[in-house]
């Protein structure tokens, strides 16, 4: 369909590993179509040419960890009509939110030769803590098909099909055998949002919770069952404290098991 | 539907098929153009998948099941149907998890819709249990006997050849005896088998339920069963019936659940329930689905997909403004009450066949037989006399 002018796409990076925005370049089959439908106006990973804003669609990767970034996200919001955060960093604070549980000043003094050069915030926070976000795409990293789905939904003015239910539904629909029931392997699938296609259980591993808490996570009950499978309190802390450590339901659960 | 009349069943002639000739059955079905599906080992469980030959069958394996656990175990014999039911059910073939319904393409200013062609493939199911036959009959009611028929389901159903098996061993979470759905196969099969293992002999007592079944049997080496063989087969089923892993008192079950909509037990189960939806995925009668529309990036193609859905998601009961069943309590109560009570109003039969899958495959071992027993055992006094059976207002 002929659209009036191509919508302008911008990709922004905050504290992150770049994995999620590279997912966009990894869309081999869809890349040409993407470039055909969108004007890639600002995407430093792909091209140095930068077209001025405002942008119709902004994909934001990474969390806010510095005073500078806490300012910059407001500029990004002002320049964006539709802002989508992508990945665990942008949607929950990412693995770097482990700092939220400790004293970051102490880290700095141990790691850096000249700590005074380092300007950083006490916490790593998701983008939605700073500015209004139109849509959050979860995952560490995000799933390629889900990214295409979100962009395609944006282009066609519809709601994306990115369900918020458990990983278990995907696991069963792929006809996988439950690793927790059949092998006693602890799995976070029941409290984790779908989106990865239940990848890990397909390789006989428990889910690591990369997509963050599902819509109504009952972490208490699952922790209780893990205890019966022989999982220690300290291991429960670590399980809930990974890529989505600062997501509220996971944060609360990990703190319950911390001594 | 065929009759469930016992008198008819008694008169079916019985034959004997030796174990050494059993693999021929799979070959014959292949020769007749069937894709043969049946039990085989995969990822620590006995699943239903394609069988290339009799060698794929789980000979000598069994399962141990309880709430939230399933373990494969070696048997002391070479039984090929010596397990109960596993994580899969025949639902995945008759009502697959994902089906594309149609594709559409934009042409100038018009939209052209292309109906999906459903390839007719003949499928033979090996080892269908009595509870599973009842589950298929329930889905038949849902998809074929209401005001609207699902033509794709109908096609798949018509092209299925069913080899049923009388259970030789009850699973730890089975309760078909309570639900009156087993373990003896009564109807709805092309061939039925009872596996008999004696010290030196391993054979099957076979009945055919259809002309097609008789035709397949005729192509197999077989003899008429003698009295001793018939009795041995009967003993197998009797023994299974006597060893159910679970039981459920279904006396006035509809009234019980309708009266106890506000029972405190629902809060108790909600504290344990993960709302993960596993129970609905593994249940052989759960039929709920959603439709998802997708478009491509260019907006030139669109597709509509039908997918399994679950009453445990918030989307399931979403109406303008929010989800009607926002709590785990509301969702578990909806699921169990539908299975055991409202289903009876809706379809004239129970929605549960007592296969035990929802108990075994619930990641935290929630057990509907335990939940109903808890509600029955602690019903508020006065409730029981409710004459209308729908006491809550
Ligand atoms: S393996 Fe994990 S994700 Fe899959 S059904 Fe079991 S608990 Fe759920
Ligand atoms: S409700 Fe549970 S026991 Fe009953 S048919 Fe479904 S899975 Fe089997
Ligand atoms: S009853 Fe068990 S399987 Fe069903 S939704 Fe609750 S936790 Fe999941």
């Amino acid at each position: 369909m002929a659209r009036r002018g191509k919508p302008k796409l911008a990709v922004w990076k905050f504290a992150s590993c770049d994995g999620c925005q590279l997912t966009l370049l990894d869309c081999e089959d869809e890349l040409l179509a993407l470039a055909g439908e969108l004007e890639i106006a600002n995407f430093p990973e792909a091209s140095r040419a930068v077209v001025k804003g405002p942008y119709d669609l902004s994909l934001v990767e990474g969390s806010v960890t510095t005073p500078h970034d806490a300012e910059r996200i407001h500029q990004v919001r002002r320049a964006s009509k539709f802002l989508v955060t992508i990945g665990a960093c942008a949607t929950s604070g990412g693995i770097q939110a482990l700092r939220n549980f400790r004293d970051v000043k102490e880290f700095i003094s141990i790691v850096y030769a000249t700590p005074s050069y380092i300007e950083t915030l006490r916490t790593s926070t998701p983008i939605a803590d700073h500015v209004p976000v139109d849509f959050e795409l979860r995952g560490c990293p995000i799933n390629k098909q889900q990214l295409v789905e979100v962009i395609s939904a944006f282009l066609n003015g519809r709601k994306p099909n990115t369900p918020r239910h458990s990983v278990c539904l995907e696991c069963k629909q792929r006809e996988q055998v439950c690793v927790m029931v059949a092998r006693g392997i602890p799995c976070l699938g029941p409290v984790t949002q779908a989106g990865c296609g239940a990848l890990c259980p397909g390789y006989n591993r428990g889910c690591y919770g990369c997509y963050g808490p599902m819509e109504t996570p009952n972490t208490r009950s699952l922790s209780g069952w893990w205890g019966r499978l022989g999982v220690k309190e300290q291991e429960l802390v670590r399980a809930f404290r990974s890529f989505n450590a600062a997501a509220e339901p996971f944060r609360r659960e990990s703190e319950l098991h911390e001594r | 539907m065929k009759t469930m009349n016992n008198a008819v069943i008694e008169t079916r002639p019985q034959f004997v098929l030796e174990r050494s000739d059993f693999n021929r059955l799979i070959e014959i079905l292949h020769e007749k153009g069937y894709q043969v599906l049946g039990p085989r080992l995969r990822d620590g469980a006995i699943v239903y998948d394609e069988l290339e030959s009799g060698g794929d069958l789980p000979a000598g394996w069994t399962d141990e099941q309880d709430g939230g656990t399933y373990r494969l175990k070696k048997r002391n014999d070479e039984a090929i149907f010596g397990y109960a039911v596993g994580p899969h059910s025949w639902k995945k073939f008759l009502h697959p998890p994902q089906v594309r319904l149609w594709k559409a393409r934009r042409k100038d200013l018009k939209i052209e819709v292309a109906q999906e062609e459903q390839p007719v493939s003949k499928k033979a199911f090996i080892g269908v249990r009595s509870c599973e036959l009842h589950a298929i009959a329930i889905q038949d009611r849902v998809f074929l006997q209401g005001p609207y028929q699902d033509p794709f389901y109908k096609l798949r159903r018509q092209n299925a050849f069913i080899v049923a098996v009388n259970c030789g061993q009850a699973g730890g979470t089975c309760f078909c005896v309570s639900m009156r759905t087993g373990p003896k196969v009564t109807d709805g099969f092309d061939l039925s088998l009872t596996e008999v293992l004696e010290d030196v002999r391993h054979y099957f007592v076979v009945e055919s339920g259809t002309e097609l079944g008789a035709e397949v049997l005729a192509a197999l080496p077989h003899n008429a069963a003698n009295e001793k063989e018939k009795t041995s087969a009967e003993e197998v089923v009797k023994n299974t019936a006597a060893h159910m892993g679970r039981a459920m008192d279904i006396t006035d079950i509809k009234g019980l659940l309708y009266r106890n909509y506000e029972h405190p037990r629902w809060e108790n189960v909600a504290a344990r329930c993960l709302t993960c939806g596993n129970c609905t995925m593994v249940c052989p009668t759960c039929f709920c689905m959603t439709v998802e529309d997708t478009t491509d990036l260019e907006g030139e193609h669109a597709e509509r997909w039908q997918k399994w859905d679950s009453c445990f998601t918030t989307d399931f009961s979403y109406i303008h403004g929010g989800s009607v069943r926002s709590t785990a309590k509301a969702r578990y109560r909806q699921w169990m009450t539908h299975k055991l009570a409202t289903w009876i109003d809706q379809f004239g039969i129970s929605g549960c066949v007592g296969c035990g899958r929802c108990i075994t495959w619930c990641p935290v071992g929630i057990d509907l037989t335990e939940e109903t027993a808890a509600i029955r055992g602690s019903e508020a006094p006065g409730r029981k006399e409710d004459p209308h059976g729908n006491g809550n207002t």
Side-chain angles (χ1 to χ4, degrees), chain B residues 171-185:
Chain B
T173 56
C174 290
F175 58 105
C176 62
V177 167
S178 305
M179 303 314 289
R180 293 163 202 145
T181 55
K184 174 136 184 70
V185 161

Side-chain angles (χ1 to χ4, degrees), chain B residues 7-145:
Chain B
V8 177
I9 292 146
E10 296 304 329
T11 60
R12 276 195 195 115
Q14 297 184 315
F15 301 92
V16 163
L17 170 70
E18 297 296 333
R19 169 65 181 99
S20 50
D21 295 321
F22 183 85
N23 294 357
R24 242 334 256 152
L25 170 62
I26 294 172
E27 288 167 16
I28 289 168
L29 289 167
H30 278 144
E31 285 157 19
K32 286 191 172 292
Y34 283 95
Q35 181 191 21
V36 180
L37 303 157
R40 60 183 303 169
L41 294 184
R42 200 191 83 198
D43 297 331
I46 294 167
V47 300
Y48 295 152
D49 216 333
E50 181 146 19
L51 302 178
E52 304 286 338
S53 73
D56 291 337
L57 292 160
W61 286 95
T62 190
D63 48 39
E64 274 178 9
Q65 305 191 34
D66 203 345
T69 77
Y70 175 103
R71 292 292 182 277
L72 277 180
K73 287 268 145 64
K74 263 290 192 196
R75 292 176 60 93
N76 301 324
D77 58 32
E78 285 299 302
I80 54 179
F81 297 111
Y83 56 90
V85 292
H88 291 174
S89 74
W90 306 101
K91 172 170 95 170
K92 71 172 195 163
F93 302 115
L94 294 171
H95 173 46
Q98 303 199 6
V99 179
R100 185 168 54 205
L101 298 177
W102 48 254
K103 287 184 278 198
R105 134 193 306 274
R106 192 190 297 277
K107 199 135 189 238
D108 305 324
L109 287 174
K110 284 209 210 72
I111 291 173
E112 272 179 8
V113 176
Q115 283 299 327
E116 196 65 19
E117 292 288 330
Q118 293 290 317
V120 184
S121 77
K122 297 194 333 179
K123 290 183 164 60
F125 302 159
I126 309 287
V128 184
R129 306 308 175 102
S130 180
C131 63
E132 300 185 305
L133 288 171
H134 281 83
I136 293 171
I138 287 172
Q139 291 215 326
D140 285 354
R141 280 191 197 222
V142 175
F143 292 125
L144 303 177
Q145 289 159 27

Side-chain angles (χ1 to χ4, degrees), chain A residues 1-3 30-34 37-38 148-149 151-153 155-156 158-159 161 163-166 168-185 189-191 201-202 204 214-222 225 228-229, chain B residues 42-45 47-49 66-72 87-88 92-93 97-98 106 269-278 280-282 292-300 307-310 312-315 326 328 331 360-365:
Chain A
M1 181 182 48
R3 290 194 182 91
E30 294 86 3
L31 208 52
L32 271 181
L34 264 172
E37 297 303 311
L38 289 161
V148 172
E149 168 63 15
I151 296 175
S152 158
L155 288 170
N156 291 287
R158 63 176 173 86
K159 194 168 156 269
N161 297 310
R164 302 198 50 228
H165 58 59
S166 70
C168 299
L169 289 193
E170 285 188 313
C171 195
K172 283 288 183 292
Q173 293 189 4
R174 293 185 62 170
E175 302 176 9
Q176 293 174 174
V177 176
C178 176
V179 299
M180 196 146 69
V181 171
R183 296 181 195 270
I185 298 173
V191 297
N204 283 323
M214 52 86 95
E215 52 190 4
T216 50
N218 187 346
T219 51
R220 268 338 284 284
S221 171
L222 188 67
W225 194 264
R228 290 171 59 170
L229 295 177
Chain B
R42 200 191 83 198
D43 297 331
V47 300
Y48 295 152
D49 216 333
D66 203 345
T69 77
Y70 175 103
R71 292 292 182 277
L72 277 180
H88 291 174
K92 71 172 195 163
F93 302 115
Q98 303 199 6
R106 192 190 297 277
V269 66
R272 286 170 282 137
C273 178
L274 307 168
T275 61
C276 62
N278 273 300
T280 54
M281 297 289 108
V282 295
E292 240 176 55
D293 292 345
T294 63
T295 50
D296 66 352
L297 289 162
E298 292 96 338
E300 296 298 320
K307 294 183 171 177
W308 284 358
D309 201 0
S310 170
F312 282 92
T313 73
T314 53
D315 261 355
S326 59
R331 281 177 256 163
T360 300
W361 299 97
C362 170
V364 289

Side-chain angles (χ1 to χ4, degrees), chain B residues 140-206:
Chain B
D140 285 354
R141 280 191 197 222
V142 175
F143 292 125
L144 303 177
Q145 289 159 27
Y148 305 101
Q149 285 197 345
D150 179 335
F152 301 150
Y153 179 88
K154 189 173 179 182
L155 212 57
R156 292 185 212 110
R157 191 68 181 85
Q158 282 168 342
N159 286 286
F161 183 90
I162 293 181
V163 180
V165 168
N166 285 310
C167 293
Q169 182 179 325
T173 56
C174 290
F175 58 105
C176 62
V177 167
S178 305
M179 303 314 289
R180 293 163 202 145
T181 55
K184 174 136 184 70
V185 161
T186 52
D187 212 347
F189 57 85
D190 293 289
L191 285 177
S192 91
L193 312 168
T194 310
E195 184 170 32
V196 184
L197 290 125
E198 288 167 355
D199 288 345
V200 288
R201 199 173 157 219
H202 185 175
Y203 62 95
F204 299 89
V205 172
V206 190

Side-chain angles (χ1 to χ4, degrees), chain A residues 143-156:
Chain A
N143 171 302
K144 184 166 109 175
Q145 272 92 37
Q146 280 204 325
L147 178 63
V148 172
E149 168 63 15
V150 168
I151 296 175
S152 158
F154 166 80
L155 288 170
N156 291 287

